[in-house]
Amino acid sequence: MNRPQALCYKIKWGPDTGPPRYDHNNMTFEQQILQYLITGVTVGSIYALIGMGFNIIYNSTEIINFAQGEFVMLGGLLTVSGMQLLHLPVPFAAILAIVGVSLIGITLDRAAIRPPKDPSPITLIIITIGASIFIRGMSSLIWGKEPYPIPAFSGEEPIPFFGAVIQPQSVWVMGVALIVVLSLRQFFGRTLTGKAMMASAVQPRAAKLVGIEASYMVLLSFALSGAVGAAAGIVIAPMSMVQYDMGVMMGLKGFCAAIIGGIGHPLGVVFGGVILGIVESLGAGLISSGYKDAIAFVILLLMLFFRPQGILGKTKGERV
Amino acid sequence: MMTLSLMKKPLAGFVLFSILLLLLPFTVTNDYYINVLIIIGINSIIVIGLDLLVGYTGQISLGHAAFYGLGAYITGILSARWAWPPIGGLLISLVMVGILAFLIGIPTLKLHGHYLAMATLGLGIIVFIFFQELDFLTGGPSGLVGIAPMSLFGIPFDSDLSYYYLVSAFLLATLLLSINVVRSRVGRALRAIHGSEVAASVLGVNISRFKVGIFVLSALYAVTAGWLYAHYITFISPSSFGFMFSIKLITMVVIGSLGSLWGAIFGAALLTSLPEFLVVFENYETSVFGLILILVMIFMPRGLMRGLEDLIKRMIDLGRQNLKERSPTS
Amino acid sequence: MSIERMGKIGGKFLLLTIMVTMVAMLSVSCAKKAKTPEEYKIGAIFASTGPASMLGLPEKNTAEMLEKSINEGGGINGTKVKLVFYDTGGDATKTVTATKKLIEKDMVDIIIGPTTSGNSLAIIDVVEEAQIPLISAAASVRIIQPVKTWVFKTPQTDVMAVEKIYEKLQKDGVKKIAIITVSNGFGDSGRVQLKNLASKYGLTIVADERYGGKDTDMTVQLTKIKGTDAEAIIAWGTNPGPAVIAKNRKQLGITIPLYNSHGVASKKFIELAGDSSEGTYLPAGKLLIVDQLADTDPQKKVLSEYKWDYEASFNSPANTFGGHAYDAFWIAVKAFENALKNNREPTKEAIRDEIEKLQGFVGTGGIFNFSPEDHNGLTKEGFVLVKIEGGDWTLAE
């Protein structure tokens, strides 16, 4: 009623001017596609990094930690504090932040995850939701509500790449994601502690019989997941800035990456994240930036309907 | 004595709850609290439906705010753009969302656990984006103005008190229907699905049909709540129906007690009115809210309703024991 | 009948009764006493938490600061002012609830706020029905157009911000523009005005992009814009989005000028975007460049006083949004004073009438001249177009 003229609009699925084909600003259609892909892989790597945090805790507890996004936010904000209050250079502030968030992860486990007796998965989910609300509330008091910048690790001079550009920070994001996923694979697949962590989730009782202290493994997973989350927050901060409420969206996207890839699957999460990132960015570039998240989720839902256990997830036998 | 014997009857609780709802407005001193009670009532309707799905059937949904929003938006758009009467908005939205929930429910409810959580979450986000982007219909992120106040069959519900009774009537209808669903053959089938889907299907329960059925039912509850909301506030914007609200709904179910209809109402009442009490904490309000969620789950992992029940049972047992000790002769 | 025989449903019901009664009793005990005539009550609703808290918090601070300073100065004609504040969290339901609380429980005489346009639209029906004056601190022109009897607002409308930018573009001979707006009430309201006014200034919008408030990267939208023949980009959002846009624009080597909205009219934007903010434009209230204003500027005194007081009280830079609350609070106070001056009991009705009659009030947002047709009272001269140069703002006119 208030805007009657609006009724005459048609639903437009594309840009007002038709497909952007002419290269007035010296960018061909192919170069644009390349640029979308680069952005997609960058953003996807962040989702993957956050998804890995979900995986670590899932692998040793089968809990979905809804406070994972807050680890990301804390990593960024603690780095800011390290730089501003202690005047540390970025690498040291970053290390300090990673250690700090690991400790927060440990505290979360000790104070909230461990105490309830015989909890159901949903109880633990609500606990992590409560924790994320608590952490966000406290952070808004400590750091305020304004966003903070972190300087790019190696400058902001873009790297030309076949007519498109790569931000130096993108290289860092992809590099860190790759290093973290490879180390985690190594850790869970090759080291005794890693294997013990997996074992205590899949068969807690059997694990106990062979002398694995389950509660220690859970503690370790929260510390590790805090560290990975913090690393994600630090490496993305120069691009997206850090703000007390960034964790919700980050956690959501990371969760999706983990699920798409098949929760708990170490390599799946990378596929999940990168696919999510690319679908989002191609959707925004070729169809509509307003609908980009919807496009991404529609495709993800279709994938789930055809592969209900995630892309790389294994079909589990139904337990009776 | 009279009332106590009444309680043995299955629906006695329902009757007494109706009387309570009827009298509740007279206990509050300020009209403002009626407004809080209305919001509690609206939230309770959604949470009861969600409890049927999550608590009784064991299927999680992280996107229920979408159905609530669809209920509000369909009637809102019909009312604001084409001056439809509210009752028409309700019928159309029930039919449209009913079909939608059915079509979506079939593939979605084949998923399990976290995958189901993710799929419902995705649905919620897709619907949310449509609220934002279809601005020629929905008014976009700034919201939709001009929704007519509630009026049914010529009777206007323009005061808070009359609206309270309207919401109460819908809440009671929802509750009655749910009690019947839970107590019927369907309810037993649902519990069987919750226990073990494989076992249930071996016993001849058509799992998919029941799961989708309950999914549609809970969506329709949410639609009704959205309808009541839209014509009460008379303004809607996408932010009221986002991911955070879906999470809040799940929290209400769990805090109240999964698989308890009274618990659902209690959870909705508590979490809706909690911010009113937390105002005293000023800047710490959000943090205290989070802390309360954690503490409830730690000390009463089965939710407040069950937790308090256990507590009272224990106290009664303790009292009886004391009684025995004091008079060993009897 | 023994106690352990309480049936299952019955037992649960009893429990529920106890709890509901407890909640009800708590509410009763919490209910405040009725209004005392010895004070004038100003209700305030701002989003001091939630996504709009960057705007809402300075507004809340400002209102509290003014309450204190006005009472220290003897109140309104000797009567103390009482501020009753509720946080909306930026949520429509919470805003409506808080408004009803102010009207029915606290019985305030006038309400200032809320922070966002969506929340303001949500309560228009409530205040119109309750017949209580409202001075909104939100931008959208839809709040006061068409004119509502009881609703006023202090910020310049987004129409004025758009016109300020379009005037400059027209002067520079620009014909084709690209817009990129955030998907929330602020961005949406800006987007509607950008589209509505474009033809009036001979402009064609060749790309209409959106981004989410928490998006980490906008290179996709900007790449798309780069592929068009746009001659200028207009970004509409609040931090940090526009800062990310500024950075991505530079990295993609886009050379056409970038215009921002008044949503980033704070030092924070320059801090976040760093070098990338150099050479970009934005329309802003004069508060931003108070030091550069000529001494003859009628607003200079008010602006420097507010800036100084705010920064001394809260140890953080004053911004335009707090200024909106400052104007709203003072307009309310002026209305009380004028009603008393005219020997009228300061009822809600009298206050409303006095606001509508208020002329030449010098605020932070401009000089307000209200009328029955104009419940904002400002012209686009309340804005100045500034350019960011050397990490600071300079007048671009």
Side-chain angles (χ1 to χ4, degrees):
Chain A
M1 282 296 126
N2 53 316
R3 276 192 288 143
Q5 82 279 11
L7 287 176
C8 329
Y9 287 6
K10 285 202 192 92
I11 306 177
K12 285 184 202 131
W13 288 93
D16 290 350
T17 49
R21 289 254 160 66
Y22 38 94
D23 53 345
H24 190 270
N25 274 321
N26 304 322
M27 204 159 187
T28 61
F29 186 62
E30 290 72 24
Q31 286 167 339
Q32 284 184 330
I33 298 283
L34 183 62
Q35 188 68 54
Y36 300 154
L37 289 174
I38 292 169
T39 304
V41 174
T42 309
V43 176
S45 305
I46 297 157
Y47 298 160
L49 257 178
I50 301 163
M52 282 174 221
F54 278 101
N55 268 353
I56 295 167
I57 290 183
Y58 181 83
N59 272 343
S60 59
T61 60
E62 306 217 314
I63 300 172
I64 296 289
N65 171 27
F66 272 72
Q68 193 64 37
E70 311 311 320
F71 289 163
V72 178
M73 174 268 291
L74 285 170
L77 284 175
L78 282 174
T79 308
V80 169
S81 290
M83 285 162 52
Q84 288 186 349
L85 297 178
L86 308 174
H87 305 288
L88 293 173
V90 180
F92 292 104
I95 291 168
L96 209 63
I98 291 175
V99 173
V101 180
S102 302
L103 291 177
I104 292 170
I106 290 175
T107 319
L108 175 64
D109 174 48
R110 288 273 153 151
I113 304 290
R114 182 98 41 101
K117 281 175 224 131
D118 223 1
S120 65
I122 188 111
T123 306
L124 292 174
I125 285 184
I126 301 291
I127 287 181
T128 60
I129 289 174
S132 88
I133 295 174
F134 176 76
I135 294 173
R136 213 178 310 137
M138 292 312 286
S139 304
S140 78
L141 293 176
I142 297 170
W143 285 283
K145 284 156 181 166
E146 296 271 1
Y148 292 90
I150 289 180
F153 298 174
S154 27
E156 294 187 338
E157 198 54 48
I159 306 159
F161 185 79
F162 297 107
V165 295
I166 302 177
Q167 307 175 32
Q169 194 64 29
S170 296
V171 180
W172 275 97
V173 170
M174 295 180 226
V176 169
L178 204 65
I179 291 168
V180 170
V181 73
L182 291 179
S183 340
L184 284 179
R185 208 173 121 94
Q186 202 68 18
F187 176 72
F188 282 113
R190 301 266 186 278
T191 68
L192 203 59
T193 325
K195 284 180 180 166
M197 275 170 85
M198 295 277 263
S200 70
V202 182
Q203 286 288 346
R205 221 180 251 169
K208 199 155 192 186
L209 281 178
V210 296
I212 296 170
E213 186 60 62
S215 70
Y216 172 70
M217 293 300 150
V218 175
L219 189 85
L220 202 62
S221 75
F222 270 85
L224 198 57
S225 157
V228 172
I234 296 163
V235 73
I236 181 64
M239 299 171 76
S240 69
M241 328 284 161
V242 272
Q243 201 173 4
Y244 80 102
D245 61 350
M246 73 189 285
V248 181
M249 211 50 199
M250 291 287 177
L252 200 69
K253 295 283 172 71
F255 174 61
C256 295
I259 295 286
I260 299 303
I263 183 101
H265 196 287
L267 276 182
V269 67
V270 177
F271 282 102
V274 172
I275 287 173
L276 181 61
I278 289 180
V279 170
E280 245 182 53
S281 121
L282 285 180
L286 299 178
I287 305 175
S288 151
S289 45
Y291 285 100
K292 73 177 162 56
D293 285 351
I295 296 164
F297 275 107
V298 167
I299 290 179
L300 300 188
L301 281 182
L302 291 178
M303 278 180 175
L304 271 189
F305 293 159
F306 290 109
R307 273 195 76 83
Q309 69 280 23
I311 297 172
L312 293 189
K314 289 176 284 282
T315 357
K316 263 194 213 168
E318 182 84 17
R319 249 186 294 177
V320 184
Chain B
M1 282 302 120
M2 182 67 184
T3 45
L4 281 179
S5 54
L6 244 176
M7 284 179 183
K8 274 163 54 184
K9 294 193 176 136
L11 294 178
F14 175 78
V15 173
L16 289 183
F17 181 65
S18 321
I19 299 172
L20 178 76
L21 279 185
L22 194 71
L23 298 179
L24 204 54
F26 300 103
T27 64
V28 299
T29 48
N30 197 299
D31 280 358
Y32 158 69
Y33 293 105
I34 306 265
N35 166 61
V36 178
L37 289 175
I38 291 172
I39 304 288
I40 290 177
I42 291 175
N43 287 345
S44 298
I45 295 176
I46 320 172
V47 176
I48 288 176
L50 195 56
D51 195 21
L52 288 179
L53 184 68
V54 183
Y56 287 91
T57 325
Q59 310 297 312
I60 196 158
S61 166
L62 292 184
H64 243 56
F67 297 120
Y68 177 50
L70 281 171
Y73 264 104
I74 293 174
T75 191
I77 290 166
L78 290 174
S79 167
R81 305 244 179 254
W82 292 292
W84 275 49
I87 188 75
L90 178 64
L91 295 177
I92 295 284
S93 52
L94 284 176
V95 171
M96 283 174 68
V97 179
I99 294 171
L100 184 76
F102 178 73
L103 293 179
I104 293 174
I106 293 172
T108 306
L109 290 165
K110 285 194 182 129
L111 302 172
H112 295 275
H114 302 306
Y115 299 99
L116 179 63
M118 151 85 210
T120 49
L121 186 156
L123 287 175
I125 290 178
I126 293 169
V127 171
F128 175 80
I129 290 171
F130 276 95
F131 292 156
Q132 278 200 333
E133 296 298 319
L134 292 176
D135 51 1
F136 62 99
L137 274 181
T138 63
S142 331
L144 180 66
V145 290
I147 303 171
M150 183 66 83
S151 158
L152 287 178
F153 310 111
I155 310 161
F157 291 87
D158 45 6
S159 72
D160 276 359
L161 194 64
S162 64
Y163 214 91
Y164 166 81
Y165 284 116
L166 180 72
V167 171
S168 298
F170 275 94
L171 173 58
L172 289 173
T174 316
L175 190 59
L176 194 63
L177 181 60
S178 309
I179 290 176
N180 279 318
V181 167
V182 171
R183 293 175 51 81
S184 67
R185 213 178 62 83
V186 179
R188 285 195 296 277
L190 297 180
R191 278 189 289 275
I193 293 173
H194 193 178
S196 161
E197 291 196 8
V198 176
S201 77
V202 168
L203 291 174
V205 178
N206 185 340
I207 305 173
S208 174
R209 214 181 74 196
F210 279 106
K211 283 203 292 193
V212 175
I214 235 47
F215 184 70
V216 171
L217 185 68
S218 73
L220 294 183
Y221 284 4
V223 166
T224 313
W227 174 72
L228 285 167
Y229 174 82
H231 289 286
Y232 175 58
I233 305 273
T234 67
F235 166 88
I236 46 177
S237 64
S239 58
S240 309
F241 312 106
F243 169 63
M244 288 315 281
F245 193 71
S246 289
I247 294 289
K248 206 167 177 182
L249 290 173
I250 277 285
T251 315
M252 288 175 185
V253 177
V254 180
I255 291 281
S257 274
L258 278 170
S260 153
L261 295 174
W262 298 118
I265 297 175
F266 183 46
L270 186 80
L271 290 196
T272 310
S273 58
L274 200 55
E276 298 293 317
F277 303 119
L278 296 184
V279 174
V280 290
F281 292 104
E282 289 193 354
N283 294 335
Y284 291 91
E285 192 186 316
T286 336
S287 307
V288 173
F289 187 86
L291 211 56
I292 289 176
L293 290 188
I294 300 176
L295 291 176
V296 169
M297 285 293 101
I298 290 178
F299 292 105
M300 295 180 177
R302 299 203 308 147
L304 278 175
M305 201 72 199
R306 295 256 161 74
L308 290 177
E309 236 172 64
D310 292 349
L311 202 72
I312 289 180
K313 246 183 236 155
R314 233 177 302 155
M315 274 161 60
I316 292 173
D317 284 351
L318 215 68
R320 229 189 299 156
Q321 234 164 24
N322 276 349
L323 222 63
K324 269 186 198 159
E325 279 164 19
R326 259 183 236 160
S327 50
T329 45
S330 68
Chain C
M1 166 98 1
S2 60
I3 194 157
E4 65 264 33
R5 280 174 77 189
M6 286 189 344
K8 265 183 192 154
I9 291 194
K12 284 174 198 171
F13 165 73
L14 194 68
L15 218 58
L16 191 75
T17 318
I18 295 168
M19 287 180 298
V20 171
T21 323
M22 268 164 46
V23 172
M25 272 162 55
L26 262 168
S27 336
V28 173
S29 60
C30 282
K32 292 230 176 77
K33 58 187 188 311
K35 174 191 173 185
T36 48
E38 299 93 53
E39 56 189 16
Y40 296 132
K41 279 189 169 178
I42 297 182
I45 33 175
F46 297 120
S48 64
T49 61
S53 57
M54 280 192 295
L55 288 59
L57 197 61
E59 291 170 343
K60 175 192 173 222
N61 286 343
T62 304
E64 283 172 350
M65 177 182 91
L66 286 181
E67 179 199 23
K68 209 171 132 219
S69 77
I70 288 172
N71 284 336
E72 276 166 4
I76 301 171
N77 291 8
T79 308
K80 292 254 186 255
V81 176
K82 176 148 174 53
L83 180 79
V84 188
F85 168 77
Y86 295 117
D87 173 26
T88 67
D91 175 63
T93 318
K94 251 178 127 180
T95 311
V96 171
T97 310
T99 310
K100 295 204 169 184
K101 198 157 154 186
L102 285 174
I103 297 171
E104 285 158 9
K105 190 177 131 193
D106 303 300
M107 300 191 200
V108 296
D109 302 299
I110 181 170
I111 299 172
I112 59 174
T115 306
T116 67
S117 301
N119 291 353
S120 304
L121 293 171
I123 61 166
I124 283 178
D125 286 347
V126 179
V127 298
E128 286 285 305
E129 196 186 325
Q131 307 203 319
I132 181 167
L134 172 81
I135 309 179
S136 166
S140 173
V141 71
R142 283 165 76 197
I143 298 166
I144 48 143
Q145 264 178 24
V147 175
K148 286 103 192 161
T149 320
W150 297 89
V151 183
F152 301 84
K153 76 182 209 78
T154 53
Q156 305 89 342
T157 62
D158 25 27
V159 173
M160 299 170 195
V162 171
E163 285 188 326
K164 209 75 199 175
I165 294 175
Y166 278 1
E167 262 176 15
K168 166 94 166 102
L169 290 176
Q170 199 178 28
K171 215 172 70 192
D172 292 351
V174 171
K175 295 273 176 248
K176 289 179 177 169
I177 54 168
I179 63 174
I180 171 166
T181 56
V182 62
S183 296
N184 64 23
F186 182 77
D188 185 55
S189 182
R191 178 167 173 253
V192 169
Q193 300 311 333
L194 284 165
K195 284 177 151 183
N196 284 351
L197 293 165
S199 60
K200 191 175 148 196
Y201 290 85
L203 298 165
T204 324
I205 295 173
V206 294
D208 172 14
E209 297 297 321
R210 317 284 296 263
Y211 71 91
K214 292 281 160 232
D215 282 1
T216 49
D217 189 295
M218 277 58 135
T219 45
V220 172
Q221 289 91 330
L222 289 169
T223 302
K224 215 162 139 187
I225 290 173
K226 200 178 174 186
T228 68
D229 52 357
E231 297 157 82
I233 304 174
I234 303 174
W236 217 265
T238 47
N239 286 326
V244 177
I245 292 174
K247 284 193 162 194
N248 290 163
R249 164 181 168 264
K250 197 179 171 196
Q251 282 153 350
L252 286 173
I254 295 176
T255 46
I256 54 176
L258 173 66
Y259 290 78
N260 265 299
S261 71
H262 50 306
V264 292
S266 71
K267 272 272 148 81
K268 199 75 201 182
F269 174 67
I270 301 178
E271 185 196 329
L272 291 174
D275 282 351
S276 314
S277 68
E278 284 297 305
T280 63
Y281 297 87
L282 62 133
K286 289 181 181 169
L287 183 68
L288 224 55
I289 43 137
V290 61
D291 306 329
Q292 296 174 37
L293 287 179
D295 286 336
T296 50
D297 193 292
Q299 278 181 270
K300 182 151 188 171
K301 186 166 163 285
V302 175
L303 288 168
S304 12
E305 265 177 26
Y306 169 62
K307 191 174 153 78
W308 202 90
D309 285 349
Y310 188 93
E311 284 167 10
S313 305
F314 301 106
N315 199 21
S316 68
N319 69 28
T320 335
F321 306 108
H324 301 327
Y326 179 91
D327 294 345
F329 200 102
W330 267 114
I331 288 169
V333 170
K334 287 281 171 216
F336 275 105
E337 282 177 0
N338 290 347
L340 292 169
K341 213 188 285 167
N342 297 337
N343 288 324
R344 280 183 79 180
E345 176 79 12
T347 58
K348 291 173 187 138
E349 194 141 27
I351 295 167
R352 191 212 80 87
D353 293 347
E354 292 302 335
I355 298 174
E356 203 166 68
K357 280 193 280 181
L358 192 64
Q359 292 291 315
F361 168 73
V362 183
T364 62
I367 297 165
F368 290 85
N369 292 302
F370 289 99
S371 72
E373 295 79 38
D374 184 2
H375 278 194
N376 179 211
L378 290 176
T379 60
K380 66 172 179 291
E381 309 316 319
F383 273 125
V384 288
L385 194 74
V386 297
K387 187 178 187 182
I388 296 171
E389 271 174 351
D392 204 353
W393 298 286
T394 50
L395 267 173
E397 301 175 351

